[in-house]
Amino acid sequence: MKISLKAKMGLVLAFLIILTVTVLSVLVLKGIETNQRDQLESELIQKSKAAEQTIHQSYVTGDPSLNTDSFLQQKGQRLASSIASQSGMQTVLYNQKGQEAGSSIPIGQKDVDVSDTLSYALKGKIAYQISGSSLIYFAPVSIDNQLIGAIRFDHSLKNNQQFIADIRHLFRTWGTIAAAAAFLIGYAYFYRIASLIASLQKTSQQIRKGRYLTDLPFKRRDELGELSQGLFFMSTSIEKNIDQMNEEKRKLEFAISKLQSLEQQQKQFIGNISHEFKTPLTSIKAYVDLLDMYRDDPQLMEDGVQNIRKETNRLHEMVDKILKLSALEKYDFEQRPEQVELKRLLEDICDRMKGKAAKFDLTLHTNIKEAVVWADRESLIHIFINLIDNAIKYNEPGGKVEVTSYTLENSIIVDVANTGIGIPPEAEEKLFQPFFTVNKDRSRLSGGTGLGLALAKDLTEKQKGVIKLHHSDSKWTIFKVSFPLKTEK
Ligand code: ADP
């Protein structure tokens, strides 16, 4: 059975009160009893002395020829009655042999056996015995230092006993009232404390379920207040730790997924490399076999040399770009940033590319602003050659290539635009992935490897720039590259 804390506290207080009252009542009653006995003893001693005096008086004033025994025989009854009326107690006189010489006790009243106690008195000692509610007191009686008998007083203890009973009753009544009051006060006081403890218990269950505290459960300037504060601090630090753990977990998951995707990309990259290498190598091997078989065919020789050169160039370009891409992923050492005048650099590149453009029956226009960027010159050349080369390769005869630039806030933006076949929207997402080509055959025909844009993107990002396909439709395709401008600082 579960006993609530408040009931326990009430019971403890009530028990303490009962214990205190019991101990107090035992001590008080004991004290009263001792006091009553002492008073009674001294009263009886005085009365026995007075009686002895009376007997002595009567003896010396009486017949001098009588000895003490005869004196008691003659006067015993009268003396007993007179002493009884003086002392207010039943009195019995005994001679030396222990025989009654006089008694105030009415004849026929049942008496108790007092012989043992009487024998003590007849040996000169004070003795008493308690019988029912009476104290029977014996004192030796002497005349001129000669023991002549004993006197007995019957003292009623009724009043004393009643007094003690009254006090005991008082202790019981008030003890019970005090214990009940203590229980109620204890219960009421601990009711408040128990409800605070219950609220703390509820709070701890909340924390266990992950509902953390936003405020103190309650404020008090005692141990319960400290406990409430402790619970609050515990809750906030658990919440913080869990948040940190979740954050770490999130970062870890992100890192794992990044690693997995990198691994996947790497696998794909290697797969693509072997696939892309196979085609030119197969072609070279086929021509070598044919040339071996038909050594005297000059036409075959011509075609073979041309094709082998083309495929070898392609392989060479591919190896070159792959090595550059993987080196970019790992090292920065090839980057030598410097102050580059972009207008001059772009115009130089365009001048170099104009010949190729003319070969494809294209016109190349430039409109470039003066701007200075902080970048690796070689990388910039790679980026723009790739873009302009693509603008030529994926164009149509009679088409245009335009290279323009403008500044926007702290950036210089270069647009490389070309007419031509355009890029379908579904290809936009993969455009910058290594080995991606919209049309494999067209790429192959124009000597493309699918690595140009991937390399351009990596190189641009190394210069803290951004490259993206800005627009593409059946008329114009525009790539935008932006770099932060070199400021005076
Ligand atoms: P490639 O060496 O094949 O040119 P890139 O990475 O440079 O490889 O380009 C990827 C693909 O994007 C190309 O194969 C081509 O299909 C498409 N592409 C790139 N630039 C243009 C452009 N200016 N106009 C149309 N298509 C383009």
Side-chain angles (χ1 to χ4, degrees):
M1 188 182 66
K2 186 182 163 189
I3 302 175
S4 72
L5 202 62
K6 46 207 185 235
K8 272 184 196 157
M9 289 303 177
L11 286 173
V12 166
L13 275 189
F15 173 74
L16 282 179
I17 291 286
I18 289 170
L19 192 71
T20 312
V21 170
T22 309
V23 171
L24 209 66
S25 71
V26 168
L27 290 176
V28 167
L29 291 172
K30 201 100 194 136
I32 290 172
E33 266 174 5
T34 313
N35 185 268
Q36 279 181 347
R37 204 183 49 233
D38 290 350
Q39 269 186 5
L40 193 61
E41 261 176 22
S42 73
E43 187 191 340
L44 286 167
I45 286 169
Q46 270 178 15
K47 285 194 171 166
S48 61
K49 285 219 168 104
E52 202 176 35
Q53 198 67 38
T54 310
I55 294 165
H56 185 261
Q57 198 74 33
S58 167
Y59 181 68
V60 290
T61 53
D63 186 354
S65 61
L66 287 177
N67 64 15
T68 52
D69 245 14
S70 314
F71 161 72
L72 279 181
Q73 210 168 359
Q74 266 188 23
K75 303 260 176 124
Q77 185 53 44
R78 215 153 47 89
L79 279 168
S81 302
S82 135
I83 293 168
S85 64
Q86 265 173 35
S87 64
M89 286 181 272
Q90 301 287 13
T91 308
V92 183
L93 272 175
Y94 297 90
N95 63 14
Q96 255 178 316
K97 292 177 192 135
Q99 293 159 339
E100 258 187 46
S103 170
S104 70
I105 299 171
I107 299 162
Q109 191 170 312
K110 202 170 177 254
D111 205 358
V112 285
D113 181 19
V114 292
S115 48
D116 280 352
T117 325
L118 176 61
S119 65
Y120 271 99
L122 292 175
K123 284 176 195 151
K125 291 176 194 161
I126 287 171
Y128 61 84
Q129 71 180 65
I130 290 169
S131 160
S133 59
S134 293
L135 178 112
I136 303 170
Y137 177 87
F138 287 91
V141 177
S142 306
I143 292 175
D144 297 334
N145 287 331
Q146 195 200 330
L147 190 77
I148 62 158
I151 188 162
R152 161 185 163 182
F153 292 120
D154 284 13
H155 179 80
S156 167
L157 290 173
K158 266 188 188 149
N159 284 345
N160 292 3
Q161 285 172 345
Q162 185 58 46
F163 181 68
I164 285 175
D166 286 350
I167 299 284
R168 191 173 283 131
H169 179 69
L170 214 65
F171 270 117
R172 270 198 197 130
T173 311
W174 285 104
T176 311
I177 290 169
F183 176 79
L184 290 177
I185 291 167
Y187 190 91
Y189 181 70
F190 286 106
Y191 183 82
R192 168 94 188 114
I193 293 192
S195 65
L196 290 177
I197 292 172
S199 102
L200 287 179
Q201 192 208 8
K202 223 164 129 185
T203 308
S204 74
Q205 274 172 355
Q206 265 183 23
I207 296 172
R208 211 181 57 198
K209 285 178 191 157
R211 291 203 297 273
Y212 301 106
L213 304 182
T214 52
D215 202 0
L216 284 174
F218 54 78
K219 280 183 189 157
R220 269 173 79 98
R221 265 183 282 165
D222 59 9
E223 286 84 347
L224 278 175
E226 283 168 13
L227 193 62
S228 144
Q229 219 171 39
L231 217 58
F232 176 64
F233 289 146
M234 190 183 82
S235 159
T236 44
S237 70
I238 289 178
E239 189 178 11
K240 218 165 90 186
N241 286 345
I242 286 186
D243 282 353
Q244 270 173 1
M245 264 164 56
N246 284 341
E247 179 61 21
E248 296 293 322
K249 194 177 152 200
R250 209 184 50 71
K251 280 185 190 161
L252 211 69
E253 281 170 356
F254 178 73
I256 289 172
S257 80
K258 187 103 189 155
L259 273 175
Q260 282 171 340
S261 95
L262 272 176
E263 199 188 334
Q264 189 59 33
Q265 273 176 23
Q266 217 160 24
K267 271 187 193 158
Q268 207 175 344
F269 190 67
I270 290 168
N272 281 335
I273 290 174
S274 23
H275 179 76
E276 293 298 323
F277 271 38
K278 245 181 215 160
T279 324
L281 281 174
T282 316
S283 173
I284 290 169
K285 190 174 177 293
Y287 270 107
V288 169
D289 288 346
L290 272 175
L291 288 173
D292 195 30
M293 278 193 321
Y294 308 101
R295 287 168 185 261
D296 305 331
D297 190 335
Q299 186 57 44
L300 185 70
M301 180 68 87
E302 181 64 24
D303 285 356
V305 167
Q306 260 185 35
N307 274 301
I308 288 171
R309 182 180 292 121
K310 204 176 114 201
E311 296 297 348
T312 318
N313 282 344
R314 218 169 103 78
L315 273 174
H316 184 266
E317 199 182 324
M318 230 156 45
V319 169
D320 197 40
K321 284 184 174 164
I322 286 167
L323 288 177
K324 206 164 187 66
L325 260 175
S326 57
L328 268 177
E329 265 176 32
K330 288 183 187 135
Y331 320 108
D332 273 340
F333 63 80
E334 289 204 5
Q335 301 290 309
R336 284 186 210 92
E338 59 180 300
Q339 205 161 297
V340 181
E341 281 180 38
L342 203 63
K343 185 174 161 70
R344 256 190 66 194
L345 182 121
L346 280 172
E347 280 176 349
D348 279 355
I349 295 172
C350 288
D351 284 346
R352 270 158 60 189
M353 299 299 284
K354 265 182 186 150
K356 189 169 180 181
K359 217 167 95 187
F360 282 86
D361 191 18
L362 302 169
T363 49
L364 200 160
H365 296 284
T366 56
N367 181 10
I368 301 157
K369 289 257 161 3
E370 292 281 358
V372 178
V373 292
W374 183 256
D376 174 55
R377 181 181 290 276
E378 282 305 308
S379 297
L380 290 182
I381 293 172
H382 264 293
I383 296 162
F384 288 113
I385 285 187
N386 259 312
L387 286 177
I388 297 167
D389 193 47
N390 278 352
I392 294 169
K393 280 194 306 194
Y394 303 108
N395 217 318
E396 311 244 271
K400 290 179 194 162
V401 176
E402 285 179 5
V403 181
T404 50
S405 83
Y406 55 96
T407 51
L408 189 75
E409 290 165 2
N410 276 335
S411 301
I412 169 85
I413 296 163
V414 182
D415 283 357
V416 179
N418 63 279
T419 53
I421 53 171
I423 296 166
E426 65 274 12
E428 280 178 26
E429 206 187 312
K430 297 181 184 165
L431 211 55
F432 293 95
Q433 286 178 6
F435 298 107
F436 176 77
T437 51
V438 174
N439 183 328
K440 272 240 157 340
D441 294 338
R442 169 113 197 198
S443 261
R444 269 186 69 75
L445 265 176
S446 55
T449 54
L451 292 166
L453 284 178
L455 193 58
K457 187 172 191 285
D458 276 7
L459 288 169
T460 309
E461 284 168 1
K462 286 271 175 212
Q463 319 306 314
K464 305 206 168 22
V466 179
I467 184 169
K468 58 184 181 191
L469 173 68
H470 174 64
H471 169 91
S472 187
D473 60 21
S474 57
K475 286 186 184 145
W476 285 98
T477 297
I478 307 170
F479 279 88
K480 255 184 205 303
V481 193
S482 68
F483 295 106
L485 274 176
K486 168 114 176 72
T487 55
E488 284 312 305
K489 267 195 287 178

